Amino acid sequence: MIVTIGVVGSVNLDLVASGAPLPQAGETVTGARFAQHPGGKGANQALAARRLGADVHMIGCVGDDALAEAALALLRRDGVDVSNVMSELGTATGVALIAVSPDGENQITVASGANSRVGPSDVAGLPKCDVILAQLEVPVTAVEAASRAAMETGALMAINLAPAIGVPPQLLKDADLLIVNEIEAEFYGDALHERGGLVALTLGGAGAALFKMGKEIARVPAFDVQVVDTTGAGDTFCGALAVALAEGQEPEQALRFASAAGALAVTRAGAQPSLPTREQVDALLKEG
Ligand code: RIB
């Protein structure tokens, strides 16, 4: 069964320094290794869904600089439809400066650039989808337009509330699925649960849980894997959960599928280079 996912979100180029301790404010650390990968929460989630077998359409914006093609390279290579990713004249492609510690934790600073040009009218480019998935690295007005499009077309609306920022309460109420980590869950508090839709909470090494109206309806433990780099693991979880729910998987099965995908993503360096294939996720699920 091939499902269709529309992603409204960011496209970045990730500049990564790994292997040195994370610096404190005002501190300089040396000895890191450098790498450059395509990233951005929107693009990562789009590619995650694509590698898991979905047809994926991306709405986003890059600059007219030399970084744009590098940022889109893996989306293009793996067959995400990027025909509605705009290129904005005189604007810089989004860049994320990422430090990864020896134990795989990260710090990320994003220079949004062209991502801040994504607007409500861009969302009109989305075809009919089973799920529309958005995050908060593009303007909230675009996410609201995505939510309206989902309502009009009968798509399931999923929002990964990352990074945590203030949003209109109606946006949360209208979403069928909100996906948060522990930091985001604390930021949004009760507003997550005072609504009819689902809430997926990722708990890092403690697994993940799914709630409906404040009541836990599923929980899965974390898979036991070697952590190399946690960058993009949350995005992988989001893309995978969108695919699983679109396929009609039961809540607990969908949560387990998304957790397995997220677990595989932490075993490799980089965001997009670490996204697993369907076969890899199925193999991990079989192993347990
Ligand atoms: O979630 C990881 C992503 O956050 C990185 O790829 C980076 O681009 C930032 O958007």
Side-chain angles (χ1 to χ4, degrees), residues 10-15 37-42 44-45 94-98 106 108-110 115 137 160 162-163 230-235 270-272:
S10 57
V11 179
N12 292 334
L13 191 67
D14 291 353
L15 306 181
H37 311 289
K41 294 187 194 305
N44 296 346
Q45 293 179 23
V95 168
L97 303 178
I98 304 181
N106 64 40
I108 306 180
T109 303
V110 176
N115 293 305
E137 283 189 332
N160 172 214
T230 56
T231 313
D235 297 330
Q272 292 187 21

Side-chain angles (χ1 to χ4, degrees), residues 129-164:
C129 297
D130 298 302
V131 176
I132 298 180
L133 175 59
Q135 319 72 31
L136 301 176
E137 283 189 332
V138 293
V140 172
T141 51
V143 181
E144 289 179 296
S147 176
R148 283 193 296 275
M151 254 184 268
E152 281 159 17
T153 60
L156 184 137
M157 182 66 202
I159 309 177
N160 172 214
L161 293 168

Side-chain angles (χ1 to χ4, degrees), residues 46-95:
L47 191 63
R50 177 69 190 149
R51 290 210 178 140
L52 296 171
D55 270 345
V56 183
H57 302 266
M58 174 93 205
I59 301 287
C61 189
V62 293
D64 65 342
D65 53 14
L67 307 186
E69 275 313 303
L72 291 171
L74 293 183
L75 294 181
R76 284 196 205 285
R77 190 196 71 184
D78 284 16
V80 172
D81 179 353
V82 291
S83 57
N84 286 300
V85 174
M86 310 300 152
S87 171
E88 188 80 11
L89 277 181
T91 310
T93 298
V95 168

Side-chain angles (χ1 to χ4, degrees), residues 116-259:
S116 59
R117 303 296 181 96
V118 181
S121 59
D122 298 321
V123 176
L126 270 187
K128 187 164 166 35
C129 297
D130 298 302
V131 176
I132 298 180
L133 175 59
Q135 319 72 31
L136 301 176
E137 283 189 332
V138 293
V140 172
T141 51
V143 181
E144 289 179 296
S147 176
R148 283 193 296 275
M151 254 184 268
E152 281 159 17
T153 60
L156 184 137
M157 182 66 202
I159 309 177
N160 172 214
L161 293 168
I165 54 169
V167 296
Q170 196 60 41
L171 187 64
L172 303 184
K173 288 202 177 107
D174 289 342
D176 300 296
L177 168 67
L178 298 173
I179 307 167
V180 288
N181 64 18
E182 289 166 285
I183 295 171
E184 292 143 9
E186 202 176 318
F187 180 90
Y188 292 100
D190 291 343
L192 292 176
H193 299 289
E194 292 164 346
R195 34 183 288 288
L198 295 169
V199 178
L201 171 64
T202 58
L203 297 158
L210 202 58
F211 298 84
K212 194 170 171 72
M213 301 193 82
K215 195 167 167 273
E216 187 176 304
I217 59 166
R219 180 173 286 261
V220 295
F223 285 82
D224 188 13
V225 290
Q226 178 100 38
V227 178
V228 173
D229 179 1
T230 56
T231 313
D235 297 330
T236 313
F237 179 94
C238 293
L241 190 59
V243 170
L245 292 175
E247 288 176 351
Q249 294 188 30
E250 290 303 320
E252 186 161 348
Q253 190 190 0
L255 196 62
R256 203 163 168 266
F257 181 81
S259 299

